[in-house]
């Protein structure tokens, strides 16, 4: 990745962001082969390397598209990532609304005008970053397509966001939006996710506020939110990030991987070209812009069919590439 200063009038100071362009695009080059979804990552300095490694290994394995990662750094994270003043944390005045205005009006347009971005956007945050993610989903759902909260601090200000969300979740349509929530285990021995809901101690407020919010999501039959949550019994507040990030991206892109069975390769009558077209039509529909069958993937399959003397299948695959990539010398 490489580091950039993001100028901002809204926050009246210079802001650092770290940016990773997919390795398949030539790493640090801004021009290149494709357009890429963008992950906007809070606490960029702490989470950047995780996410870059996960997205690179997942895209190499065909589990998700290559992605641009934008890690946002916070001079004072509690100011950026909280909202209003919490009576328990005296002295912290949250300016989360201003920070999100900077994200929407300055940072995101800057990234979109300077890098090869596609329209699909993911927002990831941990702890108070998770609070910001959930707050944005509830109040500004149009900003991102997918939202990931990793052990989000939904307890903030007497669980203000949980209260605000109750009415909104019951009435708003979140069709086309995805939310993944990771919950860590910081409970005492003998406590579980059912018992903890009756607890009143401060140490369990984070998990209780998350469980309450999850209940409200599941209660509403009309919100159409694509939702998953995982409770990680063996992970604490810090270690839940890595496993939660991976599981979140697997869930967000669960439709992306192309499955071809050996029996389909072996069957001379099986239409591989139709399978590819159907799969990528579905991927395009889910992600919201056109993704064609990958040229080199189709080429390899076609040559494999040729080696198996399945000439009809090979011809159909080569023709698919001619249709999709008429400009290629190959």
């Amino acid at each position: 990745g490489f580091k950039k200063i993001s100028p901002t009038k809204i926050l009246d100071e210079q802001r650092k962001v770290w940016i990773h362009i997919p390795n398949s695009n030539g790493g640090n080059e801004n021009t290149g082969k494709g357009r890429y979804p963008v992950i906007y990552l809070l606490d960029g300095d702490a989470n950047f390397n995780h996410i870059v490694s996960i997205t690179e290994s997942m895209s190499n394995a065909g589990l998700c598209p290559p992605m641009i990662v934008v890690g946002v750094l916070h001079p004072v994270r509690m100011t950026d990532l909280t909202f209003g003043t919490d009576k328990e944390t005296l002295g912290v005045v949250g300016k989360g609304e201003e920070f999100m205005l900077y994200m929407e009006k300055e940072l995101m347009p800057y990234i979109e005008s300077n890098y090869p971005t596609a329209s699909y956007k993911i927002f990831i945050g941990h702890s108070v970053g998770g609070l910001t993610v959930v707050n944005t989903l509830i109040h500004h759902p149009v900003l991102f397509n997918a939202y990931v909260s990793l052990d989000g601090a939904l307890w903030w200000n007497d669980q203000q966001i949980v209260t605000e969300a109750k009415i909104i979740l019951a009435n708003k349509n979140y069709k086309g939006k995805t939310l993944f929530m990771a919950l860590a285990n910081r409970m005492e021995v003998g406590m579980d996710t059912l018992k903890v809901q009756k607890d009143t101690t401060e140490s369990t407020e984070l998990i209780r506020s998350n469980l309450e919010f999850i209940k409200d999501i599941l209660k509403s039959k009309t919100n159409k939110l694509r939702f998953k949550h995982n409770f990680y019994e063996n992970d604490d507040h810090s270690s839940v990030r890595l496993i939660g990030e991976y599981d979140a991206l697997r869930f967000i892109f669960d439709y992306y991987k192309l499955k071809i069975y050996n029996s389909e390769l072996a069957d001379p009558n099986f239409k591989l070209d139709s399978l590819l077209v159907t799969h990528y039509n579905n991927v395009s529909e889910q992600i919201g812009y056109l993704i064609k069958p990958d040229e080199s993937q189709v080429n390899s399959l076609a040559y494999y069919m040729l080696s198996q003397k399945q000439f009809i299948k090979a011809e159909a695959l080569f023709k698919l590439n001619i249709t999709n990539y008429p400009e290629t010398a190959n």
Side-chain angles (χ1 to χ4, degrees), residues 118-130:
S119 57
Y120 196 87
K121 296 187 276 291
I122 301 173
F123 196 23
I124 301 179
H126 169 248
S127 197
V128 279

Side-chain angles (χ1 to χ4, degrees), residues 47-256:
N47 296 312
F48 191 74
N49 289 345
H50 289 182
I51 294 286
V52 168
S53 300
I54 292 169
T55 55
E56 285 294 337
S57 65
M58 275 180 60
S59 65
N60 287 340
L63 295 169
C64 73
M67 286 185 274
I68 292 171
V69 179
V70 178
V72 186
L73 276 63
H74 312 285
V76 185
R77 73 188 289 264
M78 293 301 277
T79 304
D80 274 359
L81 301 179
T82 62
F83 303 82
T85 310
D86 176 73
K87 64 181 189 309
E88 291 169 32
T89 47
L90 297 172
V92 172
V93 180
K95 295 191 174 169
E97 296 295 348
E98 279 175 47
F99 172 73
M100 284 313 299
L101 207 57
Y102 152 72
M103 291 275 291
E104 178 186 0
K105 303 284 191 219
E106 293 178 330
L107 180 60
M108 288 159 78
Y110 169 78
I111 297 297
E112 282 158 22
S113 57
N114 288 287
Y115 296 93
T117 61
S119 57
Y120 196 87
K121 296 187 276 291
I122 301 173
F123 196 23
I124 301 179
H126 169 248
S127 197
V128 279
L131 170 69
T132 300
V133 166
V134 169
N135 201 77
T136 306
L137 171 74
I138 294 303
H139 295 301
H140 311 283
V142 296
L143 287 185
F144 300 92
N145 303 81
Y147 293 78
V148 178
S149 168
L150 306 159
D151 222 25
L154 307 191
W155 55 266
W156 180 262
N157 205 12
D158 273 343
Q159 306 191 16
Q160 179 186 338
I161 189 58
V162 182
T163 307
E164 290 172 355
K166 282 182 192 297
I167 294 162
I168 296 172
L169 284 169
N171 295 295
K172 197 176 265 184
N173 183 346
Y174 283 93
K175 188 171 164 45
K177 303 292 170 188
T178 299
L179 170 65
F180 181 92
M181 294 173 72
L183 278 63
N185 186 4
R186 289 195 282 183
M187 298 182 289
E188 288 293 326
V189 178
M191 186 70 89
D192 61 31
T193 52
L194 280 175
K195 286 181 195 160
V196 77
Q197 293 174 43
K198 296 185 173 65
D199 192 62
T200 53
T201 59
E202 203 178 294
S203 65
T204 64
E205 199 180 359
L206 187 145
I207 193 161
R208 281 189 286 116
S209 56
N210 274 271
L211 291 168
E212 178 78 10
F213 181 77
I214 289 163
K215 246 190 220 166
D216 291 333
I217 291 174
L218 299 176
K219 216 181 277 176
S220 165
K221 297 285 170 266
T222 54
N223 65 39
K224 300 273 192 291
L225 181 66
R226 182 167 166 256
F227 173 62
K228 185 175 184 180
H229 67 281
N230 275 357
F231 170 62
Y232 295 90
E233 193 177 357
N234 300 317
D235 283 280
D236 61 23
H237 187 60
S238 175
S239 74
V240 80
R241 286 178 307 160
L242 182 64
I243 190 168
E245 288 156 357
Y246 179 73
D247 286 349
L249 290 171
R250 287 299 300 259
F251 172 63
I252 290 167
F253 293 107
D254 65 2
Y255 56 84
Y256 193 84

